[in-house]
Amino acid sequence: MLSIVKSMSLMGLEGYLVEIQVDVSSGIPCWDIVGLPDISVKEAKERVRTAIKNSGYDMQSRKIVINLAPADVKKEGSFFDLPIAIGILVCNREINEMIIQDTVFIGELSLDGKLNKVNGVLPMCIEAKNLGIKKVILPIENAYEASVVDGIKIIGAMNLEEVVRYLNSEIDITETKINLSELFNDQNAYQLDFSEVKGQEHIKRALEIAAAGGHNCLLIGTPGSGKTMMARRIPSILPDLTFEEALEITKIHSVAGKIDKDISLITNRPFRAPHHTISSVSLIGGGRIPKPGEISLAHHGVLFLDELPEFNKNTLEVLRGPLEDKTVTISRLNASLTYPCNFMFVASMNPCPCGFFGSSDKQCTCTPQAISRYIGKISGPLLDRIDIQIEVTAVKYQKLESGKQSESSMNIKNRVNKARKIQQNRYKAESIFSNSQLTPKLTEKYCKLNQECKSLLELAFDKLGLSARAYSRILKVARTIADLEEKENIEQKHLAEAIQYRSLDKKYWKN
Amino acid sequence: MKIIDITNSEYPKQLLKIKNPPNKLYVEGNEKLLNNISIAIVGSRNCSEYGVEQAKRFSKIIASNNITVISGLAIGIDTVAHETAKQYNGNTIAVLGSGLKKIFPEENKKLFKDILESNGCIISEYDPNEDVNMENFPKRNRIISGISTGVLVIEAAFRSGSTITAKYGFEQDKKVFCIPRDIGVSNGVGSNNLIKKGAILVTNPEEILNELNIKYETNNIKLESKEIIEQNEEYRKVEVEIEKEYEDIDKLISYTPQNIQQISIKSGLEISDINQKLTILELKGLIKSLPGNNYVRV
């Protein structure tokens, strides 16, 4: 007898429907799975057989042929276990054929019949809903994640027996539902806050500007000066996530298998801080069948590279394209996939190999050549994509005690939100969203300078020895500062402040 | 390029007196300087802001009194000494530890050209194509001290090249001068040890001139420096009068480096305000930014 069970699979970030066609007939007992399965799918045979047996159903000795349609696309993963088992049980007349129409099954089986968590459930359910499927049955650990999709019934089951009894109407499993607005109210629970950082007002200011304009930034400072601590707090001042953005983030994390079982939607901006031994493949994504890398996991959030010069040079260079395009296309033999990667790039580094150049506590032991060589490890084109460079110095203990109360992230975020709104309104016609995305042509259009500003900038280039590539960076940052003050035009003071954020252009680095 | 043999009359007389004079010198530029009265100014490559200031101050007075400034074309104090001497139309000699065609360090190639253009002189005991070899650098220090009348050490770390030059200076019966440095600063250990060993502690460039019995016109120098101070003050007054709003920040910055956080706490101003005023003050040439967000008065 033949049965057809619906399931889903993944192509990059998108799900697609897979029909599991199971035929059980008399003949020499054997199993065959066709439809370009890879090893993990082929192994389903043993898991399914044992799970059915251990769930108390009769596994008859028959000839079983399984086809995964469409048969010309390679399939991998263990989420076909459940639909295959259901298909066999339908053929064995344990389940009524009619009841499984309009239902999608996703899940991996253990030998004892338990349903295990699988990756990528969210994009599958989104696609299922678009195809008009009414019901999805999946492992209970994936239920919360899938329940974000509105208009489709999500049933989370513990084990195979439960699924069969549910289908036969012997038991009832309540549909998993969540309240989206409640989720979003919860998102302010980001644990880290700028109010915990004492002093360092100039760094906070620089990061506020960076967040407001979406500028990439580089923190240069001595060990223990608080670079990492500050960077970790950047997500707390970034503008609130919209539902669409949250869904996109969750999709990527779902495919990568990075979602906890009690989380349905990622409502905080991600903060990814890979170690400097990371390979270029795990940074931008890849693998035989491409998986999203760190830059995609940081989509709509922050990618923080600590100790930038320690990263492999080739690894850093692969960032150049994605930083401009905001997407990354990975081509492999099996597939060519595009993942989004619109992140804010934050990096930190020491000013010199010993780390104490410019420190008042400890003498730097590096020669000027060693310092320029160290700075030179970061290629010019990469530095070109970083608008704000700022030096961080350690705060002494006594100073931590005194001084005024530090501002909370909430206050900073309000200002950032306002500045972002202004930018979005201004760039409506240009299909960009923030000052950091201004092209040279648009910079000319939106960052007009009056005579006073022009002469200041000329003086700055002359006196401070700024490099030519600093020009448009300064203009963009000045534009953001003006937006933070809700000013129509860039004024001299905005420009003067923007010049402060070009630390690496200062003369003392160029020995 | 010229080769001056030890038998040549142009060979520096001072150098004949030392224990192991080089057999021949390769000379580029004005060889007449070699027999002038001269002071060697040597110091740390990894010098501090203070070292740079003092090197400028001493080199300026020495060079403007027609005394040749000798150094080793290294980065740090050496570079400052050469440059300042040039700036005040003085004479300067660089003694290389490598061949004249193999300039080290790379970044001083321009300085090499500049010295020759300003009628200075560059010498080496090595064949022009002799490669850069670190072992040769301490050896050339005997020539630096050998051709000079006195040696001035500014900022020397413990067992550094500068202390070697000073050691040769003692051996060759030259006057060795030394600028003191704070206890506990690594750049001062060598200098302070030299003072213990009998180097002459100097705090004013005029003291060197006195010690070497060189007549100098007191008025001339004093007047000049006074003029400059006055000019500077006037300049500053004019600027400050124009920009009243920058006064509060300007006042806070002194000659010892101040961190931006200190400035922020002391002034009580918004950080955006401070950032912007610091840029303007720096552009006006009133203050200077140092590594690590430190600012110092110029």
Side-chain angles (χ1 to χ4, degrees), chain B residues 166-210:
Chain B
K167 196 188 86 193
Y168 284 124
F170 284 128
E171 279 173 20
Q172 296 160 358
D173 276 337
K174 309 275 179 187
K175 293 228 154 111
V176 178
F177 305 97
C178 200
I179 296 176
R181 196 74 172 83
D182 314 12
I183 295 170
V185 175
S186 69
N187 264 339
V189 179
S191 319
N192 294 343
N193 278 346
L194 285 174
I195 295 171
K196 280 189 234 165
K197 282 183 193 155
I200 302 161
L201 189 154
V202 284
T203 50
N204 278 317
E206 287 83 358
E207 290 163 16
I208 296 180
L209 304 183
N210 279 335

Side-chain angles (χ1 to χ4, degrees), chain B residues 9-57:
Chain B
S9 63
E10 281 175 336
Y11 192 86
K13 310 238 161 14
Q14 295 271 9
L15 213 47
L16 289 172
K17 294 180 196 162
I18 72 171
K19 213 164 43 179
N20 48 351
N23 281 331
K24 50 186 171 185
L25 284 177
Y26 297 85
V27 180
E28 188 94 65
N30 181 8
E31 72 271 6
K32 281 178 196 127
L33 295 179
L34 295 175
N35 279 311
N36 268 10
I37 187 157
S38 57
I39 292 281
I41 300 182
V42 293
S44 173
R45 287 189 299 272
N46 180 20
C47 54
S48 69
E49 205 51 37
Y50 169 82
V52 171
E53 283 309 310
Q54 296 312 320
K56 275 186 191 162
R57 188 168 147 243

Side-chain angles (χ1 to χ4, degrees), chain A residues 375-392:
Chain A
I375 302 284
K377 278 188 185 175
I378 321 287
S379 75
L382 186 63
L383 275 183
D384 254 2
R385 288 161 174 83
I386 299 176
D387 294 345
I388 293 180
Q389 304 154 353
I390 181 112
E391 281 178 80
V392 189

Side-chain angles (χ1 to χ4, degrees), chain A residues 119-168:
Chain A
N119 297 337
V121 161
L122 180 64
M124 294 185 202
C125 291
I126 292 172
E127 180 61 17
K129 183 204 155 196
N130 293 343
L131 291 171
I133 308 281
K134 304 250 163 49
K135 197 194 285 177
V136 179
I137 297 180
L138 38 63
I140 194 152
E141 287 170 349
N142 288 114
Y144 267 114
E145 180 189 335
S147 60
V148 174
V149 186
D150 205 20
I152 190 163
K153 204 170 169 188
I154 304 293
I155 305 292
M158 295 277 280
N159 51 40
L160 180 62
E161 192 192 352
E162 210 177 273
V163 177
V164 176
R165 292 180 65 187
Y166 169 76
L167 290 173
N168 290 337

